[in-house]
């Protein structure tokens, strides 16, 4: 087990400096433009690919960092730069992790390179789980995958929504129902290769924040993919379904808790994104409070403003510590007996929403305009309390865990 420390090691600090430089020099200056354009910032992704930030190697290196701090550190720095652009850069990684975690070696080797493309021809990938009638309630999913044994093909039909990079992705990872009796245990994930007939983009959403990140519906109409596109393979799926049926008969709790552990391990990464946005807004507010003078003195000389900044910084540091703890627990296989992953996501995302609103207040009229970045950061921050499980769902998971109740 990696020893716990509150400090990043030298190698991590070096990576952090490098990422911070990219966020400050490339991402932040482009943020306002791509927010206005509401388009995927391809030139910035290309830059990130050129320097090695947009690549499986980089993502995997952070993901497998034995201290658990690689991903939270990377997310915080990139999202400090700008949330919309950073999501365009890391969105592919979220889809790739689905393949890394559940795919066979052959699937990993075949599909992940096609998700990223290369520096001269970058591609993106999408992870499609949510549906119009299945958001928080994943078990209500309707997209069906039916096996055509004669052709060794899967046929998918349904509509996915809210997919980051949906429709513009080279590779889509789609979660579908293979056994409706088993609820969320009857789901499986499929690779939809580039240019597969039947997959199309539906509505592209015009959003409140993270507008540089593309979010759209994905429509699947008789989409046929080879049997080899089922993540993990048919044999493993059949074994898993058989086990789920047995456990469902025996009460089902062990299965539910295993599924929950996966979310506990991935939620701190979203918490780290929120910490990045919160820190960015706090820094702008701190600088402004030191230089803006009213009544003949900097506004930070007023205790009302200074205390607000003190509280903002305290919450941000507390959020980061919760995120780091949960990430460390995940990588060291510690049981999340109090849903510590959900705790970190809940606290960090609510902190980002609050701190970015306070930053607007500290900047006064300027904070309310697009001349300053804090209004954008506040719009961006709202997403953290919604995706990867809303704040209410985090509270529900924490409460049920504490009560020893099963989580649906
Ligand atoms: C910009 C963006 C990007 C996204 N990217 C992706 C992606 O790449 N892939 C993907 O699959 N999904 C993605 N999502 C979907 C996201 O995960 C869902 O929006 C989220 O899970 C909430 O689902 P919903 O929107 O259907 O809200 P609903 O589930 O309808 O919830 C509506 C409200 O009811 C509350 N609520 C629901 N159930 C309960 C309950 N039991 N107790 C208390 N309150 C409850 C919720 O907290 C919320 O406040 C994205 C969403 C957005 C907005």
């Amino acid at each position: 087990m990696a020893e716990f420390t509150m400090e990043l090691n030298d190698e991590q600090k070096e990576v952090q400096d490098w990422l911070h430089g990219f966020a400050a020099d490339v991402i932040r200056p482009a943020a306002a433009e791509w927010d206005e354009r509401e388009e995927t910032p391809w030139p910035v992704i290309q830059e990130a690919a050129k320097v090695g930030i947009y690549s499986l190697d980089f993502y995997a290196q952070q993901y497998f960092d034995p201290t658990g701090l690689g991903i939270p550190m990377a997310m915080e720095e990139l999202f400090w730069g700008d949330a919309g652009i950073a999501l365009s850069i890391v969105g592919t990684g979220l889809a790739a992790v689905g393949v890394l975690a559940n795919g066979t070696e052959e699937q990993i080797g075949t599909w992940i390179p096609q998700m990223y493309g290369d520096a001269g021809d970058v591609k993106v990938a999408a992870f499609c789980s949510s549906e119009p009638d299945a958001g928080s309630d994943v078990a209500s999913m309707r997209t069906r995958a039916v096996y055509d044994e004669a052709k060794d093909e899967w046929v998918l039909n349904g509509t996915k929504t809210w997919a980051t990079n949906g429709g513009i992705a080279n590779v889509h990872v789609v979660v579908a129902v293979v056994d409706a009796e088993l609820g969320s245990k009857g789901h499986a994930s499929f690779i939809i290769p580039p240019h597969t007939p039947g997959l199309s983009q539906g509505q592209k959403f015009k959003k409140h924040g993270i507008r540089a990140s593309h979010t759209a519906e994905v429509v699947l109409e008789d989409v046929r993919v080879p049997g080899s596109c089922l993540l993990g393979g048919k044999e493993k799926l059949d074994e898993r379904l058989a086990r789920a049926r047995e456990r469902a008969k025996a009460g089902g709790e062990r299965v539910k808790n295993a599924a929950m552990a996966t979310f506990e391990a991935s939620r701190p990464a979203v918490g780290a994104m929120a910490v990045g946005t919160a820190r960015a807004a706090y820094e702008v507010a701190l600088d402004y409070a030191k230089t803006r003078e009213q009544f003949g003195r900097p506004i930070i000389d007023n205790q009302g403003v200074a205390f607000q900044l003190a509280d903002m910084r305290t919450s941000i540091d507390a959020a980061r510590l919760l995120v780091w703890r949960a990430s460390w627990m995940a990588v060291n296989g510690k049981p999340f007996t109090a849903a510590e992953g959900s705790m970190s996501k809940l606290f960090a995302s609510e902190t980002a929403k609050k701190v970015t609103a306070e930053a607007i207040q500290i900047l006064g009229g300027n904070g309310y305009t697009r001349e300053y970045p804090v209004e954008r950061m506040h719009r961006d921050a709202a997403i953290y309390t919604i995706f990867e499980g809303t704040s209410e769902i985090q509270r529900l998971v924490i409460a049920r865990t504490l009560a020893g109740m099963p989580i649906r």
Side-chain angles (χ1 to χ4, degrees):
M1 190 203 307
E3 220 172 272
F4 183 75
T5 163
M6 305 290 275
E7 252 193 341
L8 297 177
N9 61 37
D10 288 347
E11 202 180 314
Q12 288 168 330
K13 278 187 200 149
E14 218 172 278
V15 177
Q16 186 184 36
D17 285 349
W18 173 57
L19 288 173
H20 188 75
F22 187 82
D25 299 341
V26 183
I27 297 180
R28 185 70 71 83
E33 179 192 340
W34 293 100
D35 174 58
E36 287 294 336
R37 288 174 68 161
E38 300 194 44
E39 286 169 10
T40 301
W42 290 107
V44 186
I45 303 177
Q46 271 154 9
E47 271 310 296
K50 262 190 227 157
V51 299
I53 291 172
Y54 186 71
S55 71
L56 174 67
D57 276 0
F58 173 73
Y59 204 82
Q61 234 169 33
Q62 304 316 316
Y63 189 75
F64 292 114
D65 175 347
T67 68
L69 301 187
I71 287 286
M73 175 271 290
M75 295 294 172
E76 181 177 334
E77 291 314 318
L78 294 173
F79 282 73
W80 172 92
D82 177 64
I85 294 178
L87 189 61
S88 289
I89 293 173
V90 307
T92 297
L94 303 178
V97 163
V99 178
L100 267 183
N102 302 311
T104 61
E105 273 186 29
E106 202 185 333
Q107 288 169 330
I108 292 169
T110 306
W111 299 113
I112 294 188
Q114 297 192 50
M115 290 181 164
Y116 283 92
D118 54 57
D121 183 19
V122 290
K123 306 283 187 204
V124 292
F127 178 75
C128 312
S129 171
S130 302
E131 297 183 1
D133 292 323
S136 302
D137 184 8
V138 179
S140 306
M141 190 178 286
R142 289 197 195 145
T143 297
R144 289 300 302 254
V146 177
Y147 187 54
D148 178 346
E149 200 162 359
K151 293 187 172 161
D152 183 27
E153 285 178 346
W154 287 91
V155 188
L156 285 89
N157 278 287
T159 299
K160 294 292 175 184
T161 194
W162 305 123
T164 300
N165 297 336
I168 61 166
N170 201 36
V171 177
H172 291 76
V173 176
V174 171
V175 186
V177 178
V178 291
D179 184 334
E181 303 279 293
L182 291 173
S184 57
K185 308 303 164 294
H187 297 174
S189 298
F190 297 85
I191 292 280
I192 314 294
H195 315 299
T196 300
L199 184 148
S200 60
Q201 182 184 304
Q203 180 189 2
K204 177 188 168 185
F205 295 104
K206 289 182 81 67
K207 305 194 298 295
H208 176 62
I210 54 162
R211 300 197 303 184
S213 168
H214 172 103
T215 317
E217 286 178 335
V218 173
V219 181
L220 302 134
E221 286 171 310
D222 289 327
V223 170
R224 284 188 165 265
V225 295
S228 59
C229 286
L230 166 66
L231 279 182
K234 181 90 169 48
E235 203 176 310
K236 213 168 141 194
L237 172 70
D238 288 342
E239 282 169 19
R240 182 164 64 77
L241 293 178
R243 275 200 309 272
R245 284 182 200 115
E246 283 302 308
R247 283 173 184 169
K249 269 191 230 153
E253 281 189 24
R254 276 178 60 202
V255 187
K256 283 164 185 161
N257 291 340
M260 187 200 126
T262 315
F263 286 120
E264 287 303 308
S266 63
R267 282 179 176 153
V270 180
M273 298 173 189
V275 171
T277 300
R279 192 184 108 210
Y282 155 78
E283 286 176 5
V284 174
L286 179 65
D287 280 352
Y288 193 88
K290 285 182 187 166
T291 51
R292 169 70 176 167
E293 292 197 0
Q294 285 293 276
F295 302 100
R297 58 183 186 171
I299 58 169
I300 200 168
D301 278 2
N302 300 291
Q303 210 174 53
V305 175
F307 277 17
Q308 203 171 9
L309 284 159
D311 284 346
M312 287 158 79
R313 177 60 192 265
T314 304
S315 305
I316 294 166
D317 282 17
R320 184 184 299 106
L321 286 175
L322 283 176
V323 165
W324 282 20
R325 176 180 73 166
S327 305
W328 173 83
M329 288 175 74
V331 88
N332 286 297
K334 298 276 179 194
F336 291 99
T337 51
E340 290 87 344
S342 295
M343 262 188 213
S344 72
K345 199 254 179 192
L346 170 65
F347 188 77
S349 56
E350 292 294 338
T351 294
K353 230 163 104 168
K354 189 161 180 281
V355 162
T356 52
E358 286 166 346
I360 292 178
Q361 192 64 23
I362 289 174
L363 268 70
N366 281 332
Y368 199 63
T369 70
R370 295 195 181 180
E371 297 299 309
Y372 286 78
V374 289
E375 70 79 32
R376 185 183 68 247
M377 291 165 182
H378 185 50
R379 285 188 283 110
D380 292 344
I383 192 57
Y384 304 124
T385 65
I386 296 173
F387 68 10
E388 192 84 8
T390 64
S391 284
E392 292 72 28
I393 295 303
Q394 309 305 319
R395 289 190 180 97
L396 190 140
V397 169
I398 297 163
R400 288 201 175 161
T401 306
L402 299 179
M405 289 160 70
I407 292 145
R408 218 156 70 85

